[in-house]
PDB file of all heavy atoms in Angstrom:
ATOM      1  N   MET A1343     126.121 114.405 131.544  1.00  0.00           N
ATOM      2  CA  MET A1343     125.185 114.852 130.486  1.00  0.00           C
ATOM      3  C   MET A1343     125.297 113.932 129.270  1.00  0.00           C
ATOM      4  O   MET A1343     126.405 113.714 128.764  1.00  0.00           O
ATOM      5  CB  MET A1343     125.559 116.303 130.095  1.00  0.00           C
ATOM      6  CG  MET A1343     124.509 117.016 129.283  1.00  0.00           C
ATOM      7  SD  MET A1343     123.201 117.663 130.343  1.00  0.00           S
ATOM      8  CE  MET A1343     122.169 118.487 129.134  1.00  0.00           C
ATOM      9  N   ILE A1344     124.179 113.431 128.789  1.00  0.00           N
ATOM     10  CA  ILE A1344     124.212 112.651 127.551  1.00  0.00           C
ATOM     11  C   ILE A1344     124.008 113.622 126.388  1.00  0.00           C
ATOM     12  O   ILE A1344     122.970 114.268 126.290  1.00  0.00           O
ATOM     13  CB  ILE A1344     123.112 111.567 127.541  1.00  0.00           C
ATOM     14  CG1 ILE A1344     123.328 110.611 128.731  1.00  0.00           C
ATOM     15  CG2 ILE A1344     123.121 110.796 126.223  1.00  0.00           C
ATOM     16  CD1 ILE A1344     122.290 109.538 128.866  1.00  0.00           C
ATOM     17  N   PRO A1345     125.023 113.768 125.521  1.00  0.00           N
ATOM     18  CA  PRO A1345     124.928 114.779 124.463  1.00  0.00           C
ATOM     19  C   PRO A1345     124.025 114.330 123.323  1.00  0.00           C
ATOM     20  O   PRO A1345     123.747 113.136 123.160  1.00  0.00           O
ATOM     21  CB  PRO A1345     126.374 114.907 123.977  1.00  0.00           C
ATOM     22  CG  PRO A1345     126.979 113.576 124.251  1.00  0.00           C
ATOM     23  CD  PRO A1345     126.279 113.014 125.461  1.00  0.00           C
ATOM     24  N   LEU A1346     123.579 115.303 122.534  1.00  0.00           N
ATOM     25  CA  LEU A1346     122.761 115.039 121.358  1.00  0.00           C
ATOM     26  C   LEU A1346     123.569 114.234 120.340  1.00  0.00           C
ATOM     27  O   LEU A1346     123.085 113.279 119.744  1.00  0.00           O
ATOM     28  CB  LEU A1346     122.350 116.388 120.761  1.00  0.00           C
ATOM     29  CG  LEU A1346     121.307 116.446 119.688  1.00  0.00           C
ATOM     30  CD1 LEU A1346     120.029 115.754 120.115  1.00  0.00           C
ATOM     31  CD2 LEU A1346     121.018 117.901 119.338  1.00  0.00           C
ATOM     32  N   PHE A1347     124.805 114.650 120.112  1.00  0.00           N
ATOM     33  CA  PHE A1347     125.751 113.818 119.375  1.00  0.00           C
ATOM     34  C   PHE A1347     127.152 114.078 119.885  1.00  0.00           C
ATOM     35  O   PHE A1347     127.427 115.087 120.501  1.00  0.00           O
ATOM     36  CB  PHE A1347     125.675 114.010 117.853  1.00  0.00           C
ATOM     37  CG  PHE A1347     125.369 115.393 117.398  1.00  0.00           C
ATOM     38  CD1 PHE A1347     126.280 116.425 117.575  1.00  0.00           C
ATOM     39  CD2 PHE A1347     124.153 115.674 116.788  1.00  0.00           C
ATOM     40  CE1 PHE A1347     125.996 117.712 117.160  1.00  0.00           C
ATOM     41  CE2 PHE A1347     123.862 116.965 116.375  1.00  0.00           C
ATOM     42  CZ  PHE A1347     124.775 117.982 116.555  1.00  0.00           C
ATOM     43  N   ASN A1348     128.038 113.123 119.630  1.00  0.00           N
ATOM     44  CA  ASN A1348     129.384 113.192 120.186  1.00  0.00           C
ATOM     45  C   ASN A1348     130.328 112.468 119.231  1.00  0.00           C
ATOM     46  O   ASN A1348     130.168 111.277 118.986  1.00  0.00           O
ATOM     47  CB  ASN A1348     129.370 112.508 121.557  1.00  0.00           C
ATOM     48  CG  ASN A1348     130.760 112.441 122.160  1.00  0.00           C
ATOM     49  OD1 ASN A1348     131.693 113.088 121.679  1.00  0.00           O
ATOM     50  ND2 ASN A1348     130.904 111.651 123.211  1.00  0.00           N
ATOM     51  N   LEU A1349     131.257 113.221 118.671  1.00  0.00           N
ATOM     52  CA  LEU A1349     132.166 112.630 117.684  1.00  0.00           C
ATOM     53  C   LEU A1349     133.419 112.042 118.328  1.00  0.00           C
ATOM     54  O   LEU A1349     134.157 111.300 117.688  1.00  0.00           O
ATOM     55  CB  LEU A1349     132.590 113.712 116.678  1.00  0.00           C
ATOM     56  CG  LEU A1349     131.480 114.199 115.756  1.00  0.00           C
ATOM     57  CD1 LEU A1349     131.932 115.432 114.985  1.00  0.00           C
ATOM     58  CD2 LEU A1349     131.073 113.101 114.790  1.00  0.00           C
ATOM     59  N   ASN A1350     133.666 112.369 119.609  1.00  0.00           N
ATOM     60  CA  ASN A1350     134.930 111.977 120.227  1.00  0.00           C
ATOM     61  C   ASN A1350     135.148 110.475 120.251  1.00  0.00           C
ATOM     62  O   ASN A1350     136.235 109.989 119.943  1.00  0.00           O
ATOM     63  CB  ASN A1350     135.033 112.528 121.647  1.00  0.00           C
ATOM     64  CG  ASN A1350     135.129 114.039 121.646  1.00  0.00           C
ATOM     65  OD1 ASN A1350     135.464 114.631 120.609  1.00  0.00           O
ATOM     66  ND2 ASN A1350     134.822 114.680 122.756  1.00  0.00           N
ATOM     67  N   ALA A1351     134.090 109.746 120.621  1.00  0.00           N
ATOM     68  CA  ALA A1351     134.231 108.297 120.753  1.00  0.00           C
ATOM     69  C   ALA A1351     134.643 107.702 119.410  1.00  0.00           C
ATOM     70  O   ALA A1351     135.558 106.874 119.331  1.00  0.00           O
ATOM     71  CB  ALA A1351     132.910 107.683 121.222  1.00  0.00           C
ATOM     72  N   GLN A1352     133.987 108.151 118.335  1.00  0.00           N
ATOM     73  CA  GLN A1352     134.276 107.646 116.998  1.00  0.00           C
ATOM     74  C   GLN A1352     135.703 107.986 116.575  1.00  0.00           C
ATOM     75  O   GLN A1352     136.418 107.149 116.044  1.00  0.00           O
ATOM     76  CB  GLN A1352     133.277 108.275 116.038  1.00  0.00           C
ATOM     77  CG  GLN A1352     133.346 107.773 114.633  1.00  0.00           C
ATOM     78  CD  GLN A1352     132.263 108.425 113.778  1.00  0.00           C
ATOM     79  OE1 GLN A1352     132.527 109.356 113.054  1.00  0.00           O
ATOM     80  NE2 GLN A1352     131.039 107.928 113.889  1.00  0.00           N
ATOM     81  N   HIS A1353     136.119 109.217 116.870  1.00  0.00           N
ATOM     82  CA  HIS A1353     137.444 109.638 116.428  1.00  0.00           C
ATOM     83  C   HIS A1353     138.555 108.979 117.234  1.00  0.00           C
ATOM     84  O   HIS A1353     139.618 108.681 116.704  1.00  0.00           O
ATOM     85  CB  HIS A1353     137.552 111.159 116.470  1.00  0.00           C
ATOM     86  CG  HIS A1353     136.791 111.804 115.346  1.00  0.00           C
ATOM     87  ND1 HIS A1353     136.449 113.121 115.324  1.00  0.00           N
ATOM     88  CD2 HIS A1353     136.299 111.280 114.193  1.00  0.00           C
ATOM     89  CE1 HIS A1353     135.780 113.396 114.204  1.00  0.00           C
ATOM     90  NE2 HIS A1353     135.672 112.287 113.519  1.00  0.00           N
ATOM     91  N   GLN A1354     138.289 108.712 118.519  1.00  0.00           N
ATOM     92  CA  GLN A1354     139.285 108.028 119.334  1.00  0.00           C
ATOM     93  C   GLN A1354     139.591 106.658 118.741  1.00  0.00           C
ATOM     94  O   GLN A1354     140.741 106.264 118.578  1.00  0.00           O
ATOM     95  CB  GLN A1354     138.758 107.848 120.751  1.00  0.00           C
ATOM     96  CG  GLN A1354     139.584 108.590 121.790  1.00  0.00           C
ATOM     97  CD  GLN A1354     138.775 108.848 123.040  1.00  0.00           C
ATOM     98  OE1 GLN A1354     138.003 107.988 123.475  1.00  0.00           O
ATOM     99  NE2 GLN A1354     138.944 110.024 123.617  1.00  0.00           N
ATOM    100  N   GLN A1355     138.519 105.970 118.384  1.00  0.00           N
ATOM    101  CA  GLN A1355     138.629 104.632 117.797  1.00  0.00           C
ATOM    102  C   GLN A1355     139.443 104.659 116.503  1.00  0.00           C
ATOM    103  O   GLN A1355     140.214 103.763 116.229  1.00  0.00           O
ATOM    104  CB  GLN A1355     137.203 104.192 117.454  1.00  0.00           C
ATOM    105  CG  GLN A1355     136.809 102.797 117.802  1.00  0.00           C
ATOM    106  CD  GLN A1355     135.361 102.594 117.345  1.00  0.00           C
ATOM    107  OE1 GLN A1355     134.504 103.460 117.504  1.00  0.00           O
ATOM    108  NE2 GLN A1355     135.101 101.450 116.759  1.00  0.00           N
ATOM    109  N   LEU A1356     139.236 105.711 115.700  1.00  0.00           N
ATOM    110  CA  LEU A1356     139.843 105.762 114.368  1.00  0.00           C
ATOM    111  C   LEU A1356     141.170 106.524 114.346  1.00  0.00           C
ATOM    112  O   LEU A1356     141.835 106.585 113.309  1.00  0.00           O
ATOM    113  CB  LEU A1356     138.877 106.441 113.384  1.00  0.00           C
ATOM    114  CG  LEU A1356     137.524 105.770 113.168  1.00  0.00           C
ATOM    115  CD1 LEU A1356     136.658 106.630 112.257  1.00  0.00           C
ATOM    116  CD2 LEU A1356     137.681 104.378 112.574  1.00  0.00           C
ATOM    117  N   GLN A1357     141.549 107.114 115.478  1.00  0.00           N
ATOM    118  CA  GLN A1357     142.679 108.049 115.504  1.00  0.00           C
ATOM    119  C   GLN A1357     143.955 107.532 114.823  1.00  0.00           C
ATOM    120  O   GLN A1357     144.514 108.234 113.972  1.00  0.00           O
ATOM    121  CB  GLN A1357     142.993 108.476 116.947  1.00  0.00           C
ATOM    122  CG  GLN A1357     143.923 109.670 117.036  1.00  0.00           C
ATOM    123  CD  GLN A1357     143.205 110.971 116.681  1.00  0.00           C
ATOM    124  OE1 GLN A1357     142.242 111.346 117.323  1.00  0.00           O
ATOM    125  NE2 GLN A1357     143.655 111.625 115.636  1.00  0.00           N
ATOM    126  N   PRO A1358     144.436 106.322 115.154  1.00  0.00           N
ATOM    127  CA  PRO A1358     145.678 105.863 114.529  1.00  0.00           C
ATOM    128  C   PRO A1358     145.590 105.832 113.004  1.00  0.00           C
ATOM    129  O   PRO A1358     146.480 106.307 112.311  1.00  0.00           O
ATOM    130  CB  PRO A1358     145.859 104.444 115.088  1.00  0.00           C
ATOM    131  CG  PRO A1358     145.001 104.370 116.296  1.00  0.00           C
ATOM    132  CD  PRO A1358     143.886 105.344 116.109  1.00  0.00           C
ATOM    133  N   ARG A1359     144.475 105.324 112.510  1.00  0.00           N
ATOM    134  CA  ARG A1359     144.274 105.225 111.057  1.00  0.00           C
ATOM    135  C   ARG A1359     144.162 106.626 110.424  1.00  0.00           C
ATOM    136  O   ARG A1359     144.703 106.881 109.357  1.00  0.00           O
ATOM    137  CB  ARG A1359     143.011 104.388 110.807  1.00  0.00           C
ATOM    138  CG  ARG A1359     142.716 104.111 109.375  1.00  0.00           C
ATOM    139  CD  ARG A1359     143.558 102.977 108.791  1.00  0.00           C
ATOM    140  NE  ARG A1359     143.299 102.869 107.351  1.00  0.00           N
ATOM    141  CZ  ARG A1359     144.201 103.133 106.419  1.00  0.00           C
ATOM    142  NH1 ARG A1359     145.429 103.475 106.745  1.00  0.00           N
ATOM    143  NH2 ARG A1359     143.876 103.033 105.139  1.00  0.00           N
ATOM    144  N   LEU A1360     143.469 107.525 111.109  1.00  0.00           N
ATOM    145  CA  LEU A1360     143.315 108.884 110.594  1.00  0.00           C
ATOM    146  C   LEU A1360     144.674 109.583 110.521  1.00  0.00           C
ATOM    147  O   LEU A1360     144.992 110.237 109.523  1.00  0.00           O
ATOM    148  CB  LEU A1360     142.342 109.696 111.462  1.00  0.00           C
ATOM    149  CG  LEU A1360     140.875 109.250 111.428  1.00  0.00           C
ATOM    150  CD1 LEU A1360     140.026 110.102 112.354  1.00  0.00           C
ATOM    151  CD2 LEU A1360     140.314 109.310 110.006  1.00  0.00           C
ATOM    152  N   ASN A1361     145.483 109.427 111.570  1.00  0.00           N
ATOM    153  CA  ASN A1361     146.822 110.030 111.561  1.00  0.00           C
ATOM    154  C   ASN A1361     147.616 109.546 110.357  1.00  0.00           C
ATOM    155  O   ASN A1361     148.279 110.337 109.676  1.00  0.00           O
ATOM    156  CB  ASN A1361     147.586 109.676 112.842  1.00  0.00           C
ATOM    157  CG  ASN A1361     146.999 110.369 114.056  1.00  0.00           C
ATOM    158  OD1 ASN A1361     146.190 111.278 113.921  1.00  0.00           O
ATOM    159  ND2 ASN A1361     147.401 109.934 115.240  1.00  0.00           N
ATOM    160  N   GLU A1362     147.527 108.249 110.129  1.00  0.00           N
ATOM    161  CA  GLU A1362     148.258 107.641 109.030  1.00  0.00           C
ATOM    162  C   GLU A1362     147.872 108.265 107.687  1.00  0.00           C
ATOM    163  O   GLU A1362     148.739 108.687 106.917  1.00  0.00           O
ATOM    164  CB  GLU A1362     147.871 106.157 108.993  1.00  0.00           C
ATOM    165  CG  GLU A1362     148.945 105.145 108.753  1.00  0.00           C
ATOM    166  CD  GLU A1362     148.344 103.757 108.955  1.00  0.00           C
ATOM    167  OE1 GLU A1362     148.235 103.289 110.107  1.00  0.00           O
ATOM    168  OE2 GLU A1362     147.930 103.159 107.939  1.00  0.00           O
ATOM    169  N   VAL A1363     146.563 108.299 107.400  1.00  0.00           N
ATOM    170  CA  VAL A1363     146.146 108.762 106.067  1.00  0.00           C
ATOM    171  C   VAL A1363     146.382 110.263 105.904  1.00  0.00           C
ATOM    172  O   VAL A1363     146.727 110.727 104.816  1.00  0.00           O
ATOM    173  CB  VAL A1363     144.674 108.398 105.735  1.00  0.00           C
ATOM    174  CG1 VAL A1363     144.479 106.888 105.737  1.00  0.00           C
ATOM    175  CG2 VAL A1363     143.683 109.082 106.652  1.00  0.00           C
ATOM    176  N   LEU A1364     146.241 111.020 106.995  1.00  0.00           N
ATOM    177  CA  LEU A1364     146.478 112.462 106.900  1.00  0.00           C
ATOM    178  C   LEU A1364     147.953 112.742 106.619  1.00  0.00           C
ATOM    179  O   LEU A1364     148.294 113.585 105.779  1.00  0.00           O
ATOM    180  CB  LEU A1364     146.016 113.169 108.185  1.00  0.00           C
ATOM    181  CG  LEU A1364     144.492 113.210 108.371  1.00  0.00           C
ATOM    182  CD1 LEU A1364     144.117 113.687 109.770  1.00  0.00           C
ATOM    183  CD2 LEU A1364     143.832 114.109 107.331  1.00  0.00           C
ATOM    184  N   GLN A1365     148.817 112.013 107.301  1.00  0.00           N
ATOM    185  CA  GLN A1365     150.264 112.185 107.052  1.00  0.00           C
ATOM    186  C   GLN A1365     150.629 111.800 105.625  1.00  0.00           C
ATOM    187  O   GLN A1365     151.458 112.439 104.983  1.00  0.00           O
ATOM    188  CB  GLN A1365     151.073 111.362 108.049  1.00  0.00           C
ATOM    189  CG  GLN A1365     151.127 112.007 109.422  1.00  0.00           C
ATOM    190  CD  GLN A1365     151.743 111.092 110.473  1.00  0.00           C
ATOM    191  OE1 GLN A1365     152.353 110.082 110.139  1.00  0.00           O
ATOM    192  NE2 GLN A1365     151.570 111.448 111.730  1.00  0.00           N
ATOM    193  N   GLN A1366     149.970 110.765 105.141  1.00  0.00           N
ATOM    194  CA  GLN A1366     150.237 110.304 103.764  1.00  0.00           C
ATOM    195  C   GLN A1366     149.899 111.413 102.751  1.00  0.00           C
ATOM    196  O   GLN A1366     150.652 111.641 101.815  1.00  0.00           O
ATOM    197  CB  GLN A1366     149.423 109.029 103.479  1.00  0.00           C
ATOM    198  CG  GLN A1366     149.772 108.348 102.164  1.00  0.00           C
ATOM    199  CD  GLN A1366     151.218 107.839 102.152  1.00  0.00           C
ATOM    200  OE1 GLN A1366     151.684 107.249 103.119  1.00  0.00           O
ATOM    201  NE2 GLN A1366     151.933 108.077 101.053  1.00  0.00           N
ATOM    202  N   VAL A1367     148.778 112.072 102.980  1.00  0.00           N
ATOM    203  CA  VAL A1367     148.389 113.152 102.057  1.00  0.00           C
ATOM    204  C   VAL A1367     149.452 114.246 102.063  1.00  0.00           C
ATOM    205  O   VAL A1367     149.870 114.727 101.004  1.00  0.00           O
ATOM    206  CB  VAL A1367     147.006 113.751 102.437  1.00  0.00           C
ATOM    207  CG1 VAL A1367     146.725 115.013 101.625  1.00  0.00           C
ATOM    208  CG2 VAL A1367     145.899 112.727 102.233  1.00  0.00           C
ATOM    209  N   VAL A1368     149.906 114.609 103.250  1.00  0.00           N
ATOM    210  CA  VAL A1368     150.911 115.684 103.342  1.00  0.00           C
ATOM    211  C   VAL A1368     152.209 115.246 102.663  1.00  0.00           C
ATOM    212  O   VAL A1368     152.841 116.025 101.946  1.00  0.00           O
ATOM    213  CB  VAL A1368     151.154 116.080 104.819  1.00  0.00           C
ATOM    214  CG1 VAL A1368     152.255 117.134 104.913  1.00  0.00           C
ATOM    215  CG2 VAL A1368     149.865 116.603 105.447  1.00  0.00           C
ATOM    216  N   ARG A1369     152.584 113.968 102.889  1.00  0.00           N
ATOM    217  CA  ARG A1369     153.805 113.466 102.231  1.00  0.00           C
ATOM    218  C   ARG A1369     153.668 113.497 100.717  1.00  0.00           C
ATOM    219  O   ARG A1369     154.569 113.891  99.993  1.00  0.00           O
ATOM    220  CB  ARG A1369     154.091 112.028 102.685  1.00  0.00           C
ATOM    221  CG  ARG A1369     155.056 111.949 103.870  1.00  0.00           C
ATOM    222  CD  ARG A1369     155.648 110.553 103.995  1.00  0.00           C
ATOM    223  NE  ARG A1369     154.638 109.517 104.135  1.00  0.00           N
ATOM    224  CZ  ARG A1369     154.106 109.147 105.316  1.00  0.00           C
ATOM    225  NH1 ARG A1369     154.504 109.722 106.442  1.00  0.00           N
ATOM    226  NH2 ARG A1369     153.204 108.201 105.372  1.00  0.00           N
ATOM    227  N   ASP A1370     152.493 113.056 100.210  1.00  0.00           N
ATOM    228  CA  ASP A1370     152.289 112.995  98.756  1.00  0.00           C
ATOM    229  C   ASP A1370     152.227 114.384  98.128  1.00  0.00           C
ATOM    230  O   ASP A1370     152.557 114.555  96.954  1.00  0.00           O
ATOM    231  CB  ASP A1370     150.992 112.244  98.421  1.00  0.00           C
ATOM    232  CG  ASP A1370     151.125 110.755  98.705  1.00  0.00           C
ATOM    233  OD1 ASP A1370     152.269 110.312  98.975  1.00  0.00           O
ATOM    234  OD2 ASP A1370     150.102 110.054  98.680  1.00  0.00           O
ATOM    235  N   GLY A1371     151.746 115.362  98.910  1.00  0.00           N
ATOM    236  CA  GLY A1371     151.761 116.733  98.437  1.00  0.00           C
ATOM    237  C   GLY A1371     150.749 117.067  97.353  1.00  0.00           C
ATOM    238  O   GLY A1371     150.850 118.098  96.701  1.00  0.00           O
ATOM    239  N   GLN A1372     149.739 116.213  97.174  1.00  0.00           N
ATOM    240  CA  GLN A1372     148.690 116.521  96.201  1.00  0.00           C
ATOM    241  C   GLN A1372     147.438 116.862  96.993  1.00  0.00           C
ATOM    242  O   GLN A1372     146.817 115.976  97.564  1.00  0.00           O
ATOM    243  CB  GLN A1372     148.431 115.296  95.336  1.00  0.00           C
ATOM    244  CG  GLN A1372     148.811 115.494  93.881  1.00  0.00           C
ATOM    245  CD  GLN A1372     148.326 114.346  93.048  1.00  0.00           C
ATOM    246  OE1 GLN A1372     148.745 113.206  93.256  1.00  0.00           O
ATOM    247  NE2 GLN A1372     147.442 114.615  92.115  1.00  0.00           N
ATOM    248  N   PHE A1373     147.076 118.138  97.034  1.00  0.00           N
ATOM    249  CA  PHE A1373     146.057 118.547  97.997  1.00  0.00           C
ATOM    250  C   PHE A1373     144.692 118.807  97.379  1.00  0.00           C
ATOM    251  O   PHE A1373     143.694 118.837  98.076  1.00  0.00           O
ATOM    252  CB  PHE A1373     146.538 119.793  98.746  1.00  0.00           C
ATOM    253  CG  PHE A1373     147.816 119.537  99.496  1.00  0.00           C
ATOM    254  CD1 PHE A1373     149.011 120.119  99.109  1.00  0.00           C
ATOM    255  CD2 PHE A1373     147.813 118.666 100.581  1.00  0.00           C
ATOM    256  CE1 PHE A1373     150.184 119.870  99.805  1.00  0.00           C
ATOM    257  CE2 PHE A1373     148.983 118.395 101.275  1.00  0.00           C
ATOM    258  CZ  PHE A1373     150.180 118.992 100.888  1.00  0.00           C
TER     259      PHE A1373
END
Side-chain angles (χ1 to χ4, degrees):
M1343 194 81 178
I1344 300 178
L1346 191 54
F1347 35 68
N1348 176 12
L1349 291 170
N1350 293 341
Q1352 185 177 100
H1353 286 163
Q1354 243 158 40
Q1355 224 181 318
L1356 299 175
Q1357 193 75 60
R1359 184 79 186 113
L1360 292 178
N1361 290 347
E1362 222 172 278
V1363 299
L1364 290 170
Q1365 283 171 14
Q1366 188 64 44
V1367 170
V1368 177
R1369 266 198 303 273
D1370 289 350
Q1372 246 189 298
F1373 300 111

